[in-house]
Amino acid sequence: MGYRETYERWQDDPESFWLELAEDIDWVEPPKQALFDRGNDTYEWYADAKLNGCYNTIDRHVENGRADQVAIIHDSPITGTKSHVTFREMRDRIAALAGVLKAQGLAKGDRVVIYMPMIPEAIEAMLACARIGAVHSVVFGGFAANELSVRINDCKPKAILAASCGLEPGRVVAYKPLIDGAIELATHKPDFCVILQREQQPCTLTEGRDLDWYEAREGVAPADCVPVEGNHPAYILYTSGTTGAPKGVVRHTAGHLVALYWSMKNVYDVEPGEVFWAASDVGWVVGHSYICYAPLVHGNTTVVFEGKPIGTPDAGTFWRIIEEHDVRSFFTAPTAIRAVKRDDPTGEERKKYDLSRLRALYLAGERADPDTILWAQDVLGVPVYDHWWQTESGWPMVANPAGLERLPVKIGSPTVAMPGYDIRVLDEAGQEKPRGQLGAIAVRLPLPPGTLPTLWNAPERFHKSYLATFPGYYETGDAGMIDEDGYIYIMARTDDVINVAGHRLSTGAMEEVLAGHPDVAECAVIGASDPLKGQTPVGFLCLSKGVDRPHEEIVAECVQRVRDQIGPVAAFKKAVVVDRLPKTRSGKILRATMVKLADGEDFKLPATIDDPAILDEISVALGEVGLGKKAAS
Ligand code: COA
Ligand code: AMP
């Protein structure tokens, strides 16, 4: 069956389509019904069934002949180490850690925050939670203590699982002070922490609160898999919204395993037993889905990579890993390929490696620009597939279903809607736009299994953020169009979310931090185009009356403030002091116009602008930090 037939099979009878795909998963009690309509435009999947996420990703493979197959390859060019963990070893390690959590009183439904670098223990931690039905919330290591505390307050974890440090090139990131700081800031306090001591920088454990990852196992019985309902939350993953408060995307257990299993063969074109590599981080959705759950549920070997595309040690790292570990399907962000291309434009590093067994490169997380796709295709000699999805969907919404049928690639389009997604382009009134015309991208409800059923602790926000604008649809927050052949094009966000190096960030959150500076009266943050990272945040600061300190000092403090409060991942390095911000007569800041100015692009003067002269002032200020017309020419 090809793509069209599969998509139509789903359209004709979604219930039996999803029940049939559910057969790829092992159930304690199989589902009799796929979709559950909970009213008020909310839906759940496989709610009548019982299963366990860890059993499906690990134990069943041990029982079905894959015990000695490698489950995880850890490759860390930063530490110069490599290791392999089999499914059997993984099961035993996870059961031991789950035993510790259980012995400490953790039970089904309790939340656990995980703050770990890219090491196998991060996967061990996620699946130990799944084993006992605890709900994990992984926080990316590049977030600061304040962001960690916001998440602790929201999901109220009983435990934190963490490593003593993370490793960035040339820098050890001590996690313990961040964890201590976050717990101090948070109003909710976890009962205990389990800390993995890394030799690069061990830490002092806090008595009465912290347990050592390995010592805590002594004398503790390993834990068995606890059956959970299909709609039991597997995890909460916080993602950026328009405001400073992150959204806790909830993922239910059964739906995501079913959908992820399907995607491994049909999208990523791998057979069980083969090596699949997503070069992302467990702190992002790509890491949850395609480093941890999807490859493992499908019986693939997954690569946990602790390094960067360049500089660890060179632009050949990706290609070395692909050859050395026999990676058949590789997934990364366009930024990473741009970084490699910048360092090695003629692909000299790539020539050192045999990549003949690699089938394809998959790109997602941000817009894949045609230059990057063409370069990668040329250098690698394999198809390069752009595909589009988001934290909320958990798996690709639009992709080239290469394992089902290799559709012709149209550069600039991530290709077509995956089964389960009825994607439409709407105008502001919610009417469908004709083919080829730009509009808001929305998905007709219900969303398929694996997608978010709600936001943690915030059902009203879930409705307001995603369901209210276009009744009957999920609003993706992206704008784009569909062409005559049904190919979908993603052009831009419709909100204040920006994408910096494949990382989703909120300009609103940065504005909240800047506004907290005592000398800042008003501010705005925009995403200016960046040749490497796609976008880069730029702050505009209007100072309070009477402030006469040097502007460089205030800018430096603001940069430090964002780093301290959001984290280095915000990559907030540029800000300018201006007298006023350009606004409409009704007082709305003209952010889109400021983006055009920063990018040095021509634009039409907004009819509603209050005082066009401000734009000249903004241009001058941008010129001072190397942005705007001059920089572009
Ligand atoms: N822990 C602590 N700090 C982190 C971190 C982590 N896990 N990840 C990133 N940071 C820090 C970096 O060290 C950097 O700090 P600095 O300001 O002191 O230099 C800052 O956050 C910004 O990081 P990043 O945006 O990654 O920029 P970079 O200049 O270090 O690297 C790239 C540039 C292109 C090599 C890098 O962004 C990259 O590999 N991008 C791919 C992203 C990706 O895979 N995304 C997954 C989504 S699919
Ligand atoms: P995240 O939730 O962090 O995965 O970010 C999701 C957002 O990244 C999407 O809503 C898009 O704005 C953007 N994005 C992801 N993949 C693509 C893609 N292939 N093309 C364009 N934008 C993308």
Side-chain angles (χ1 to χ4, degrees), residues 320-402:
R320 175 199 47 91
I321 291 182
I322 292 170
E323 180 195 276
E324 193 172 326
H325 303 305
D326 195 18
V327 173
R328 309 305 299 272
S329 204
F330 176 44
F331 178 169
T332 191
T335 300
I337 299 296
R338 283 196 295 271
V340 173
K341 176 177 168 229
R342 197 176 63 171
D343 258 30
D344 181 23
T346 52
E348 296 311 309
E349 289 294 338
R350 182 260 173 267
K351 289 176 195 152
K352 297 180 187 163
Y353 302 97
D354 175 7
L355 305 187
S356 58
R357 283 166 64 82
L358 179 72
R359 287 194 193 105
L361 165 67
Y362 293 80
L363 298 176
E366 59 178 318
R367 209 180 96 78
D369 54 291
D371 278 357
T372 302
I373 296 182
L374 291 170
W375 182 85
Q377 248 169 24
D378 187 41
V379 164
L380 295 178
V382 296
V384 176
Y385 298 123
D386 179 15
H387 63 318
W388 171 71
W389 50 295
Q390 38 184 211
T391 305
E392 290 84 346
S393 71
W395 60 286
M397 298 194 275
V398 171
N400 196 319

Side-chain angles (χ1 to χ4, degrees), residues 47-374:
D48 62 348
K50 286 215 167 117
L51 77 169
N52 180 275
C54 180
Y55 181 79
N56 273 284
T57 44
I58 302 291
D59 297 52
R60 68 166 175 166
H61 302 308
V62 177
E63 292 166 16
N64 297 334
R66 296 192 186 280
D68 297 320
Q69 181 191 313
V70 172
I72 295 180
I73 298 170
H74 183 233
D75 192 309
S76 170
I78 298 192
T79 59
T81 58
K82 293 169 203 169
S83 63
H84 294 77
V85 191
T86 64
F87 276 99
R88 190 200 319 273
E89 287 162 346
M90 222 26 216
R91 181 199 57 190
D92 296 344
R93 286 168 58 160
I94 292 166
L97 179 61
V100 170
L101 302 181
K102 202 173 146 190
Q104 292 297 317
L106 213 74
K108 183 184 159 202
D110 289 337
R111 274 82 58 210
V112 176
V113 160
I114 299 175
Y115 195 64
M116 308 272 296
M118 288 297 290
I119 50 178
E121 288 83 352
I123 309 286
E124 191 180 305
M126 292 162 84
L127 296 179
C129 292
R131 195 168 186 88
I132 57 170
V135 183
H136 63 69
S137 187
V138 183
V139 179
F140 179 61
F143 282 120
N146 183 57
E147 286 289 320
L148 186 54
S149 78
V150 168
R151 287 153 174 79
I152 291 173
N153 278 339
D154 195 65
C155 75
K156 302 196 170 30
K158 265 201 179 161
I160 296 183
L161 305 184
S164 57
C165 67
L167 303 170
E168 284 293 287
R171 174 162 75 95
V172 176
V173 184
Y175 281 179
K176 184 65 179 6
L178 293 168
I179 293 161
D180 290 346
I183 294 177
E184 202 174 307
L185 282 170
T187 48
H188 170 86
K189 311 287 177 196
D191 294 351
F192 67 101
C193 301
V194 186
I195 310 280
L196 176 83
Q197 297 283 19
R198 294 192 81 186
E199 63 179 47
Q200 290 78 14
Q201 195 174 115
C203 62
T204 311
L205 300 185
T206 304
E207 272 228 30
R209 188 195 74 189
D210 297 347
L211 303 169
D212 176 84
W213 195 274
Y214 290 107
E215 281 171 15
R217 294 174 186 205
E218 282 160 26
V220 171
D224 285 334
C225 294
V226 172
V228 301
E229 298 72 23
N231 59 352
H232 180 73
Y235 68 79
I236 305 161
L237 178 56
Y238 289 90
T239 189
S240 300
T242 312
T243 68
K247 296 168 168 170
V249 167
V250 173
R251 190 88 56 219
H252 283 174
T253 303
H256 93 130
L257 295 179
V258 172
L260 293 178
Y261 187 100
W262 181 86
S263 71
M264 286 307 289
K265 170 65 193 148
N266 292 283
V267 175
Y268 298 104
D269 198 14
V270 283
E271 301 295 339
E274 293 180 335
V275 182
F276 176 83
W277 179 26
S280 178
D281 188 285
V282 283
W284 307 115
V285 69
V286 177
H288 281 65
S289 292
Y290 291 103
I291 295 174
C292 181
Y293 287 101
L296 296 177
V297 78
H298 195 246
N300 290 102
T301 299
T302 184
V303 180
V304 172
F305 168 63
E306 186 177 41
K308 300 273 173 179
I310 51 171
T312 59
D314 54 39
T317 298
F318 278 177
W319 321 137
R320 175 199 47 91
I321 291 182
I322 292 170
E323 180 195 276
E324 193 172 326
H325 303 305
D326 195 18
V327 173
R328 309 305 299 272
S329 204
F330 176 44
F331 178 169
T332 191
T335 300
I337 299 296
R338 283 196 295 271
V340 173
K341 176 177 168 229
R342 197 176 63 171
D343 258 30
D344 181 23
T346 52
E348 296 311 309
E349 289 294 338
R350 182 260 173 267
K351 289 176 195 152
K352 297 180 187 163
Y353 302 97
D354 175 7
L355 305 187
S356 58
R357 283 166 64 82
L358 179 72
R359 287 194 193 105
L361 165 67
Y362 293 80
L363 298 176
E366 59 178 318
R367 209 180 96 78
D369 54 291
D371 278 357
T372 302
I373 296 182
L374 291 170

